[in-house]
Amino acid sequence: MSLENSSWSPAPSAVKQSPNHPLSPLTAVEIRTAAEAVKAICPGRPDIHFKILTLDEPEKALLVPFLDAEHAGRKLPHIDRKVFVAYYIRNTDKFHEAVVNLSKRKVESNRRVDSEEHAPVSNYEIIAVEKNVFEDAGVQAELKKLGLPKDTKFICDPWIYGSDGVNDQERMFQAFLYARDPMDSQNADSNHYAFPLAISPVIDGASFKVIRIDTIPTGEGFDIKPISNIDIHPPSEYTPEHQHLRTDVKPLNVVQPEGASFVATKQGETGEIIEWQKWSFRIGFNQREGMVLYDVRYDNRSLFYRLALSDMNIPYADPRPPFHRKAAFDLGDVGAGIMANNLKLGCDCLGSIHYLNGLVADERGNPDPRPNAICVHEQDAGILWKHTNYRTERAAIVRRRELVVQSIITVANYEYILAFTFNQAGEVSYEVRATGIVSTQPIDEGLSVPWGTVVHPGVLATFHQHIFSLRIDPAIDGHTNTLVSSEVHPMPLNDFNPHGVGYTVQESTVAQSTGLDVDTATNRVFKITNPNSLNPINGKPVAYKIHAPPFQKMVALPQSFHHKRAEFADHDVYVTKYRDRELYAGGMYTNQSRGGKGVRAWADRQDAITGVDGQGDDIVVWVQFGLQHVVRTEDWPVMPAEVLSVSLKPANFFEKNPSMDVPPSEQRINKSVEVGAGEAEKHLQGSVEGTVDGCCSTEESQPKL
Amino acid sequence: MSLENSSWSPAPSAVKQSPNHPLSPLTAVEIRTAAEAVKAICPGRPDIHFKILTLDEPEKALLVPFLDAEHAGRKLPHIDRKVFVAYYIRNTDKFHEAVVNLSKRKVESNRRVDSEEHAPVSNYEIIAVEKNVFEDAGVQAELKKLGLPKDTKFICDPWIYGSDGVNDQERMFQAFLYARDPMDSQNADSNHYAFPLAISPVIDGASFKVIRIDTIPTGEGFDIKPISNIDIHPPSEYTPEHQHLRTDVKPLNVVQPEGASFVATKQGETGEIIEWQKWSFRIGFNQREGMVLYDVRYDNRSLFYRLALSDMNIPYADPRPPFHRKAAFDLGDVGAGIMANNLKLGCDCLGSIHYLNGLVADERGNPDPRPNAICVHEQDAGILWKHTNYRTERAAIVRRRELVVQSIITVANYEYILAFTFNQAGEVSYEVRATGIVSTQPIDEGLSVPWGTVVHPGVLATFHQHIFSLRIDPAIDGHTNTLVSSEVHPMPLNDFNPHGVGYTVQESTVAQSTGLDVDTATNRVFKITNPNSLNPINGKPVAYKIHAPPFQKMVALPQSFHHKRAEFADHDVYVTKYRDRELYAGGMYTNQSRGGKGVRAWADRQDAITGVDGQGDDIVVWVQFGLQHVVRTEDWPVMPAEVLSVSLKPANFFEKNPSMDVPPSEQRINKSVEVGAGEAEKHLQGSVEGTVDGCCSTEESQPKL
């Protein structure tokens, strides 16, 4: 298809917009313009099914000078504004990628994607699959065999089909079927996961027609029983009207009477910068990664060029079909931006909250808002530091105020609460809370299997892993960084260490792109350094250390598709040499992928990453962390959030604790109140009763000695 | 010494006290009575130097029936009230242990302690050492050689001497000397750790006289330079008046307008029970362990008989004398109760706070209050669970309210913030935050050593470990428990697992007392089960799983005293068969200990611990966790708190998520306010401006599909 005639003139009535920052998310006008441009290049204007329509972030070689100029207050260089579009010709498997240059008003590239690659799933498809499944005569016939009440409402959760080396060329869906409580079928929020069915239709990804119906094994082995009457076991509802609610939880409010300490500054329609306690960064949002942070600085020192969750993989442990294909890449297969919750609806945030709206594109190329997709707020997280001089009893104490930038995604049954958290000690963390409902499948009552837990009569929750990959594009005091491995070893017993107590730190710079692991026995950890920037106190290169909890890597065997596909899931850390567009650790297209196109492949290039004379290079660090989910009854019907956190902490980056200048914790400001024994339930009249006196005088106490 | 005449009559004017609960801490009257009883048994009434005077907790064989009767509302059996006393004849090394039976009004045992064992350190001694050090002529002569200004104020931090196989029979102190900022010597809170001196006197533990003066090596090797003039480098103050304080931290208050949700019920003078969100437990306090929790139950189901920090060890990495002996047991050597901060003075707690007072004894046997040693309060910790039905967009969401029971200890330079935290999902955690000031020693400027970090000109902070041991005496649904090791293994590639994705959990019951380790590669974790109590849903034995972060064990070599003494520091978990009085993982007397009397020795008994027919036994589980502290400049002058946490979470103990009945998060109750972009600093007028509307309607939304 020729792109010669792909340019367009600006619409006459277009309002002259202030130029968007190169990292601002696409505006509604930009989305429509790009969609229209793509539709226009295809001869005959076929019906386009848009799958991806996002900002095509500028090449780093252009963006770094732009950001430098921005921070220095110089004239900003021009960078073309581009949009990446991936699309199907509707109801075909003709998958394409295009880049639309909005500045030059032309489609600058358009290519057919290899037929091995499949697009992610969109909401439109989820709806179409569910509809077609229940209109299918074969499915209806199977459902009838269940012998459930006539008005039973059946539910379909469409899943990506997964990969097995057999059908990978065909884009398909595996539908898992459930029923609302058959005794309460009008309850639109009935927990259908309590009634999983053994009927599992497979749907063609182009026509959305049912092409086959799989039957799920419900015994202890591979045997499949024909569908027949099933018993109705009790429901397991999670909505509050179905609980005997506790009545003794007293309200707890977080109040900021002078407002919040952060400043959120909008730029144009979609751009936003956050400044808080010497931190500054830009927030972006796109359909795949959801929240992205750019240009993260502390006290105007450069720290991170880009931070975002790169992908996650949830492989399941049931060896039997169809579950051998069950492994989800929630970002690559669907998208964290697409699945972002509206945080106002859910009362997710407590205190003084700032919301950011997101904007993605729907399958027709229209802007599709995600209102309140991100929330920003402060929280108190206990004491940051304290010291009491025991001789004078004078305490110096500072509280740990944090800034939280949070988004929540719902992926059918599961929820993930994702948050970047900053504190005043120069530390930034990425926290994931896994909650929501475990994926369920039917099991005959009274049976058990060694790869899952029965959480409810007839309901099996198979074990699985949650493995996350956080992509860190560092710029620690600049763009020449190295990855250093640091271990602690005992000194040998000898004349220099006659008592056997000595130990030292041994460090080595990682020379080539590779996968690496932490090691508790040697306290092996990794830090990102800038060899050109030395700490004035002790001469050590400034660094940020990675604090990530060790976790069991992908359990599935190396020969398995689970392992081949989730390229990040076999090491704690990957380090690669920066290349534009290498953003997604599992590869660009994860839906029914086969592997070979993600971070493991990039690391296998063995690029040198120490730079000229070991002075550092442009590297990317991928930090994995995860959870081995051996399901328990307490995870049902909704799971108490499991909390995972990765922290990046300064190591000889500052000359001293950067939070020494945080004002002390004082009762005058804290306004804590005292609650007495046996009085905890009494209504306290403001601060009249039981204020905490004598607290934190800023004057020196009388010295005792 | 005969104890035949050791009984006494009740004082005629003694107020008739209601009997104390067997687990209530000693009252002031009890302390005085026990001290007097001990003084009276020694012929000639010598001057007694009391070291330990605490409740002698009843034998479990008596206490369990008592607690059962208490919970069942039956008549309570009588249990004698006893006091454990350890003491010296003052200024001698004659160390004794006695047990005073207050109910029978007699000293029921008194014995001389083996001369190998030394008592912990007390505040009295710390003051006496500091005084004597600076009155010593030899020390004064050395100090003069430093050539510092005449009015320089010198400071002495007395340390336990440590063990080296040479001088272990003699109880001694190693004094580390510092100076206040020589240019600001009247500043009583000057950070003296910024001016460490190379003069280190050794003090006799009986006479408190200086018996030798060690010189600290300040180069890169063992060489010791004679004391001579030193330069005055800049100070490094931590008090707020010495900082340029930030001015942009807005207040954040935690307000509970209807009071707190917990109920604290005092029993007698010192006893206290806390009830909160189906949890109930008794809080105790003693000089060594600080906070102790007893009889911890959830929804009246038994969980833990006793929970307390057992000890901690901080071994240092400098191989050179005198540092080869530097390894502190902060509980065994001094005591978490003795060192507990007064939490009102420090503004340590935010919100609606309940304080408990502690009471220890001083070296004269007088009651020595620790007011506000423990605080209890609630906090919000984000979302507990959430699920959104994507079809209706209806979210069910519950916030994670926690109960915190906290104490803070100052151990000379360091602080530890210790907290038990409970949540509504039946989970209890123990969190340690390490903060305060790193231990420093002098180093010649411009030099560096591989076992420490220069944090300030002339100031070296040697690497060290912080290793903690949490003692868990479980009673999971009763006193017959087992410890089970649980691992995740891939299934082999075969006909049953043709795709290589299957994996299973493999469990084995630990048969004998032993030390054990977690293993990330197999996700090996441990859980405490009750084989007699089966989950009704899936038939699995109820359990609580231990979630402890893996850590690098004691690095010092096995031949070292560091290793021999800190018996708990070589394994993630120890399990022993319960015996009365086996409370302290490092042994009873850790000061200058040699090892052989702690949890490693008890485990080496290889007691069977699975009970009759594997039906469970009375076991104790010791969970270790820790931090390899490779010091960085950001840890100076006061360290941002490093947070370590161990959690105990139900595993098939409940039939479902026990927090399903927590009322939903609602804006009506939360009263969050919205902060706009660019408006974050505006003063918000209560809830008039920008309340979060439309949040969490409890009515069903219109279904979308």
Side-chain angles (χ1 to χ4, degrees):
Chain A
M1 183 186 306
S2 160
L3 299 178
E4 282 170 2
N5 296 323
S6 67
S7 58
W8 64 92
S9 309
S13 62
V15 172
K16 176 169 156 58
Q17 275 184 324
S18 38
N20 286 302
H21 188 282
L23 293 170
S24 291
L26 296 178
T27 65
V29 167
E30 289 176 325
I31 289 172
R32 284 200 187 92
T33 305
E36 182 54 35
V38 168
K39 289 180 200 169
I41 56 171
C42 300
R45 286 189 69 99
D47 190 1
I48 303 288
H49 180 173
F50 291 91
K51 300 305 291 179
I52 302 173
L53 202 159
T54 56
L55 176 69
D56 191 38
E57 289 179 19
E59 302 149 46
K60 198 179 226 185
L62 298 178
L63 196 49
V64 166
F66 182 99
L67 294 173
D68 288 346
E70 190 176 27
H71 284 286
R74 296 195 302 268
K75 183 176 182 329
L76 301 174
H78 170 80
I79 299 184
D80 281 357
R81 187 90 163 145
K82 300 186 189 182
V83 181
F84 175 85
V85 184
Y87 64 95
Y88 284 108
I89 309 298
R90 191 177 293 279
N91 294 337
T92 75
D93 65 351
K94 295 184 167 65
F95 189 31
H96 296 74
E97 284 180 348
V99 175
V100 179
N101 188 322
L102 295 176
S103 304
K104 294 188 163 51
R105 296 198 294 278
K106 63 190 297 262
V107 178
E108 69 182 28
S109 69
N110 186 49
R111 70 173 193 99
R112 174 78 186 273
V113 175
D114 193 295
S115 60
E116 287 231 325
E117 316 242 51
H118 301 299
V121 172
S122 53
N123 284 340
Y124 159 82
E125 292 179 315
I126 287 169
I127 295 168
V129 166
E130 185 159 24
K131 177 171 179 295
N132 283 10
V133 156
F134 293 123
E135 287 178 357
D136 181 79
V139 171
Q140 288 171 1
E142 292 299 287
L143 288 173
K144 198 167 282 190
K145 295 177 189 169
L146 296 172
L148 292 171
K150 253 194 145 79
D151 65 348
T152 297
K153 172 76 172 142
F154 296 102
I155 303 289
C156 164
D157 274 18
W159 270 63
I160 35 77
Y161 186 80
S163 313
D164 58 7
V166 176
N167 291 315
D168 305 327
Q169 301 286 107
E170 310 304 321
R171 185 163 179 273
M172 291 177 285
F173 296 88
Q174 184 89 37
F176 294 117
L177 301 193
Y178 309 84
R180 286 185 194 166
D181 177 10
M183 310 307 287
D184 189 17
S185 58
Q186 292 313 298
N187 177 7
D189 290 294
S190 175
N191 177 14
H192 55 271
Y193 300 103
F195 295 93
L197 308 177
I199 304 160
S200 182
V202 173
I203 294 88
D204 177 74
S207 67
F208 295 98
K209 297 300 178 200
V210 173
I211 55 179
R212 123 175 146 247
I213 300 175
D214 290 343
T215 305
I216 284 169
T218 60
E220 292 170 335
F222 278 69
D223 294 343
I224 291 169
K225 300 187 322 193
I227 302 298
S228 63
N229 274 17
I230 57 174
D231 297 327
I232 301 174
H233 53 247
S236 189
E237 305 299 359
Y238 61 85
T239 41
E241 60 271 20
H242 288 91
Q243 320 300 327
H244 290 121
L245 295 176
R246 302 178 189 210
T247 55
D248 57 350
V249 187
K250 305 275 186 250
L252 186 151
N253 306 126
V254 172
V255 180
Q256 293 199 273
E258 296 177 29
S261 316
F262 57 86
V263 177
T265 306
K266 288 183 77 69
Q267 274 194 343
E269 244 180 78
T270 58
E272 188 147 328
I273 291 170
I274 304 285
E275 292 163 292
W276 177 82
Q277 293 297 292
K278 305 191 187 179
W279 288 98
S280 71
F281 53 89
R282 177 175 293 280
I283 298 185
F285 184 86
N286 64 63
Q287 72 176 72
R288 180 177 187 142
E289 295 161 299
M291 301 183 288
V292 181
L293 303 189
Y294 306 94
D295 196 21
V296 181
R297 295 171 167 250
Y298 187 93
D299 209 12
N300 210 29
R301 286 174 74 182
S302 168
L303 285 179
F304 303 103
Y305 178 75
R306 193 181 196 279
L307 287 176
L309 183 66
S310 176
D311 217 326
M312 66 171 83
N313 189 253
I314 323 293
Y316 283 77
D318 189 331
R320 308 168 299 175
F323 303 114
H324 65 296
R325 285 182 272 103
K326 193 173 174 184
F329 289 87
D330 290 337
L331 268 57
D333 291 346
V334 190
I338 292 197
M339 294 182 294
N341 290 178
N342 180 329
L343 296 176
K344 274 198 194 179
L345 293 185
C347 294
D348 304 274
C349 319
L350 185 68
S352 297
I353 318 295
H354 170 57
Y355 295 97
L356 282 81
N357 297 320
L359 189 63
V360 298
D362 69 16
E363 47 89 28
R364 295 218 159 266
N366 293 321
D368 191 6
R370 289 292 181 272
N372 311 308
I374 298 174
C375 72
V376 180
H377 65 94
E378 290 186 283
Q379 65 188 14
D380 178 280
I383 293 168
L384 180 55
W385 58 259
K386 180 181 188 185
H387 182 64
T388 297
N389 178 354
Y390 72 81
R391 296 169 182 80
T392 63
E393 286 192 6
R394 183 177 177 200
I397 176 170
V398 148
R399 295 198 69 81
R400 181 166 161 154
R401 185 73 65 82
E402 295 180 333
L403 181 78
V404 180
V405 180
Q406 175 169 294
S407 187
I408 302 180
I409 65 176
T410 298
V411 200
N413 51 298
Y414 255 131
E415 259 75 13
Y416 296 96
I417 301 168
L418 312 167
F420 289 98
T421 304
F422 299 82
N423 73 20
Q424 297 143 318
E427 302 171 353
V428 54
S429 300
Y430 186 72
E431 183 190 274
V432 176
R433 292 192 187 200
T435 181
I437 304 182
V438 287
S439 188
T440 59
Q441 61 198 73
I443 186 168
D444 297 333
E445 285 205 34
L447 298 188
S448 69
V449 289
W451 50 76
T453 299
V454 173
V455 293
H456 192 66
V459 180
L460 172 68
T462 290
F463 304 149
H464 50 280
Q465 299 181 263
H466 303 261
I467 304 172
F468 304 89
S469 178
L470 177 70
R471 180 181 182 277
I472 301 168
D473 189 341
I476 308 294
D477 258 355
H479 294 273
T480 51
N481 295 155
T482 63
L483 187 72
V484 168
S485 172
S486 180
E487 299 184 359
V488 170
H489 289 278
M491 293 165 65
L493 194 69
N494 57 25
D495 287 347
F496 202 79
N497 180 36
H499 304 278
V501 302
Y503 66 81
T504 63
V505 163
Q506 292 164 27
E507 300 189 341
S508 60
T509 301
V510 181
Q512 291 182 332
S513 61
T514 186
L516 300 145
D517 293 307
V518 298
D519 177 24
T520 303
T522 58
N523 202 64
R524 183 191 308 137
V525 293
F526 299 98
K527 47 188 193 178
I528 305 169
T529 88
N530 188 328
N532 307 297
S533 181
L534 304 183
N535 185 300
I537 301 291
N538 55 30
K540 292 181 191 289
V542 304
Y544 256 69
K545 191 181 279 191
I546 300 166
H547 295 249
F551 72 105
Q552 184 181 31
K553 313 301 177 296
M554 171 75 75
V555 181
L557 300 174
Q559 313 87 313
S560 70
F561 276 99
H562 283 4
H563 182 94
K564 291 183 204 175
R565 300 172 64 206
E567 293 210 334
F568 50 86
D570 58 348
H571 284 295
D572 291 300
V573 172
Y574 267 96
V575 60
T576 57
K577 170 122 185 181
Y578 177 88
R579 279 198 191 180
D580 289 320
R581 293 169 177 274
E582 284 182 355
L583 293 174
Y584 316 123
M588 180 68 189
Y589 297 112
T590 57
N591 187 7
Q592 288 175 251
S593 62
R594 255 74 19 95
K597 301 193 181 187
V599 70
R600 192 187 292 149
W602 306 331
D604 281 350
R605 291 193 299 253
Q606 295 183 310
D607 293 330
I609 53 166
T610 51
V612 176
D613 295 331
Q615 290 308 296
D617 209 332
D618 190 358
I619 62 174
V620 178
V621 182
W622 314 74
V623 178
Q624 281 66 245
F625 55 105
L627 172 63
Q628 173 56 263
H629 198 169
V630 173
V631 182
R632 47 173 193 156
T633 44
E634 291 85 357
D635 291 328
W636 177 261
V638 183
M639 174 184 163
E642 275 290 329
V643 184
L644 299 169
S645 181
V646 172
S647 294
L648 303 169
K649 302 188 187 185
N652 302 306
F653 184 84
F654 298 103
E655 292 184 42
K656 61 178 184 179
N657 174 349
S659 66
M660 290 314 297
D661 61 352
V662 174
S665 177
E666 286 183 73
Q667 172 53 16
R668 178 179 62 83
I669 296 173
N670 292 346
K671 296 183 164 46
S672 293
V673 295
E674 186 172 356
V675 176
E679 295 174 5
E681 290 182 317
K682 278 168 58 178
H683 180 84
L684 296 174
Q685 305 288 335
S687 63
V688 170
E689 190 176 340
T691 43
V692 177
D693 297 324
C695 181
C696 300
S697 161
T698 51
E699 297 156 15
E700 250 181 72
S701 334
Q702 190 69 20
K704 295 280 160 85
L705 301 171
Chain B
M1 182 186 308
S2 159
L3 299 178
E4 282 171 1
N5 297 325
S6 68
S7 58
W8 64 93
S9 311
S13 61
V15 173
K16 178 167 153 57
Q17 273 185 326
S18 38
N20 287 299
H21 188 279
L23 293 170
S24 290
L26 296 178
T27 65
V29 167
E30 290 176 325
I31 288 172
R32 284 203 185 87
T33 306
E36 181 56 33
V38 168
K39 288 179 200 167
I41 56 172
C42 299
R45 285 187 71 98
D47 190 0
I48 303 287
H49 180 172
F50 291 92
K51 301 304 292 175
I52 302 173
L53 202 158
T54 55
L55 177 68
D56 191 38
E57 291 180 16
E59 303 151 45
K60 196 179 229 184
L62 298 179
L63 195 49
V64 166
F66 182 99
L67 294 173
D68 288 345
E70 191 177 24
H71 285 287
R74 293 194 305 269
K75 182 175 181 335
L76 301 174
H78 169 80
I79 298 183
D80 281 356
R81 186 90 166 145
K82 300 185 190 181
V83 180
F84 175 85
V85 183
Y87 64 95
Y88 282 110
I89 308 298
R90 192 177 293 278
N91 294 335
T92 75
D93 65 353
K94 295 184 167 62
F95 189 32
H96 297 74
E97 284 179 348
V99 173
V100 179
N101 187 323
L102 294 175
S103 304
K104 295 187 162 52
R105 296 198 294 277
K106 62 190 298 262
V107 177
E108 69 181 29
S109 70
N110 185 47
R111 70 173 192 97
R112 174 77 186 272
V113 176
D114 193 296
S115 60
E116 289 231 325
E117 316 243 51
H118 301 300
V121 172
S122 52
N123 284 339
Y124 159 81
E125 292 179 315
I126 286 170
I127 295 168
V129 166
E130 184 158 27
K131 176 173 181 296
N132 283 12
V133 157
F134 292 123
E135 285 177 357
D136 180 81
V139 172
Q140 288 172 1
E142 293 298 287
L143 289 172
K144 198 167 282 189
K145 295 177 189 170
L146 297 172
L148 292 172
K150 253 198 147 81
D151 65 348
T152 297
K153 173 73 170 146
F154 295 102
I155 304 288
C156 163
D157 273 19
W159 270 64
I160 37 77
Y161 186 78
S163 314
D164 59 7
V166 176
N167 291 315
D168 304 327
Q169 299 287 105
E170 311 304 319
R171 186 164 179 273
M172 292 177 285
F173 296 89
Q174 185 90 37
F176 294 117
L177 301 193
Y178 309 84
R180 287 185 193 164
D181 177 10
M183 310 306 290
D184 188 16
S185 57
Q186 292 313 298
N187 177 8
D189 289 295
S190 173
N191 177 15
H192 56 271
Y193 300 103
F195 295 93
L197 308 177
I199 303 160
S200 182
V202 175
I203 293 85
D204 177 74
S207 67
F208 296 98
K209 297 299 177 201
V210 174
I211 56 179
R212 119 173 150 250
I213 300 175
D214 290 342
T215 306
I216 284 169
T218 59
E220 291 170 334
F222 278 68
D223 295 344
I224 292 168
K225 300 187 322 194
I227 301 298
S228 62
N229 274 17
I230 57 173
D231 296 327
I232 301 175
H233 53 248
S236 189
E237 304 299 359
Y238 61 85
T239 40
E241 60 272 19
H242 288 92
Q243 319 300 327
H244 290 122
L245 296 176
R246 303 179 189 211
T247 54
D248 57 351
V249 186
K250 304 276 187 251
L252 187 151
N253 306 126
V254 172
V255 180
Q256 293 200 271
E258 295 178 29
S261 315
F262 57 86
V263 177
T265 306
K266 288 184 76 70
Q267 273 195 342
E269 247 179 76
T270 58
E272 189 146 327
I273 292 171
I274 303 285
E275 292 164 291
W276 177 83
Q277 295 296 293
K278 304 190 187 180
W279 286 99
S280 71
F281 53 89
R282 179 174 292 279
I283 298 185
F285 186 84
N286 65 63
Q287 72 177 72
R288 180 177 187 143
E289 295 161 299
M291 300 182 288
V292 182
L293 303 190
Y294 306 94
D295 197 21
V296 181
R297 297 173 165 250
Y298 186 94
D299 209 11
N300 210 28
R301 288 174 71 183
S302 167
L303 285 180
F304 304 102
Y305 178 75
R306 194 180 195 278
L307 287 176
L309 182 67
S310 176
D311 217 327
M312 65 172 81
N313 189 254
I314 322 295
Y316 283 78
D318 190 331
R320 308 168 298 175
F323 304 112
H324 64 297
R325 285 182 272 103
K326 192 171 174 184
F329 288 87
D330 290 337
L331 268 58
D333 291 346
V334 190
I338 291 195
M339 296 180 293
N341 291 177
N342 180 330
L343 298 177
K344 274 198 194 181
L345 293 184
C347 294
D348 304 274
C349 319
L350 185 68
S352 297
I353 317 296
H354 170 57
Y355 295 96
L356 281 82
N357 297 319
L359 190 62
V360 297
D362 68 17
E363 46 90 26
R364 296 217 158 267
N366 294 320
D368 190 7
R370 292 290 183 272
N372 311 307
I374 300 174
C375 72
V376 180
H377 64 93
E378 290 186 283
Q379 65 188 14
D380 178 277
I383 293 168
L384 182 55
W385 57 260
K386 181 180 187 187
H387 182 63
T388 297
N389 178 353
Y390 72 81
R391 296 168 183 79
T392 63
E393 287 193 5
R394 184 178 176 200
I397 175 170
V398 149
R399 295 199 69 82
R400 182 167 159 152
R401 186 71 65 80
E402 296 180 332
L403 181 78
V404 180
V405 180
Q406 175 169 295
S407 187
I408 301 180
I409 65 177
T410 299
V411 200
N413 51 297
Y414 254 132
E415 258 79 8
Y416 296 96
I417 302 167
L418 312 167
F420 289 98
T421 305
F422 299 82
N423 73 20
Q424 297 142 318
E427 302 171 353
V428 52
S429 300
Y430 186 71
E431 180 189 277
V432 176
R433 292 191 186 202
T435 182
I437 306 182
V438 287
S439 188
T440 59
Q441 62 198 73
I443 186 169
D444 297 333
E445 284 204 37
L447 298 188
S448 68
V449 289
W451 52 75
T453 299
V454 173
V455 293
H456 192 67
V459 180
L460 172 67
T462 291
F463 305 149
H464 50 282
Q465 298 181 263
H466 302 260
I467 304 173
F468 304 90
S469 177
L470 178 70
R471 180 181 181 277
I472 301 169
D473 189 343
I476 308 293
D477 257 355
H479 293 275
T480 52
N481 295 154
T482 64
L483 187 71
V484 168
S485 172
S486 180
E487 298 183 1
V488 169
H489 289 277
M491 294 166 63
L493 193 69
N494 57 26
D495 287 348
F496 201 81
N497 180 34
H499 304 279
V501 302
Y503 67 80
T504 62
V505 164
Q506 291 165 27
E507 299 188 343
S508 61
T509 301
V510 180
Q512 291 181 334
S513 62
T514 185
L516 300 146
D517 293 307
V518 298
D519 178 24
T520 303
T522 58
N523 202 64
R524 184 190 307 137
V525 294
F526 299 98
K527 48 188 192 179
I528 306 169
T529 87
N530 188 328
N532 307 297
S533 182
L534 305 183
N535 184 299
I537 301 291
N538 55 30
K540 292 179 190 289
V542 303
Y544 257 69
K545 190 181 279 189
I546 300 165
H547 295 250
F551 72 106
Q552 184 179 30
K553 313 299 177 297
M554 170 75 75
V555 180
L557 300 174
Q559 313 87 316
S560 69
F561 276 99
H562 284 2
H563 182 93
K564 290 183 205 177
R565 301 171 64 206
E567 293 210 333
F568 50 85
D570 58 349
H571 284 296
D572 290 299
V573 171
Y574 268 95
V575 59
T576 57
K577 170 129 180 167
Y578 176 87
R579 279 197 191 181
D580 289 319
R581 294 169 176 272
E582 283 182 355
L583 293 175
Y584 315 123
M588 179 69 189
Y589 297 113
T590 57
N591 187 6
Q592 291 175 250
S593 62
R594 258 65 33 88
K597 301 193 180 187
V599 71
R600 191 187 293 147
W602 305 333
D604 281 350
R605 289 193 301 253
Q606 295 181 311
D607 293 329
I609 54 167
T610 51
V612 175
D613 295 330
Q615 288 308 295
D617 209 333
D618 190 358
I619 62 174
V620 178
V621 182
W622 315 74
V623 178
Q624 282 64 249
F625 55 104
L627 172 62
Q628 173 55 265
H629 197 170
V630 173
V631 183
R632 46 173 194 157
T633 44
E634 290 87 356
D635 290 329
W636 176 261
V638 184
M639 173 183 163
E642 276 289 329
V643 183
L644 299 169
S645 181
V646 173
S647 294
L648 304 169
K649 303 189 186 184
N652 303 307
F653 184 84
F654 298 103
E655 291 183 41
K656 62 178 183 179
N657 175 349
S659 66
M660 292 312 298
D661 60 351
V662 175
S665 177
E666 287 184 73
Q667 171 55 13
R668 176 179 64 82
I669 294 170
N670 293 345
K671 297 183 166 39
S672 294
V673 294
E674 186 170 356
V675 177
E679 294 174 6
E681 289 181 318
K682 279 168 58 178
H683 181 83
L684 296 173
Q685 305 286 337
S687 64
V688 170
E689 189 174 341
T691 44
V692 177
D693 297 324
C695 184
C696 298
S697 163
T698 51
E699 298 156 16
E700 252 182 68
S701 335
Q702 189 71 19
K704 296 278 159 86
L705 301 168

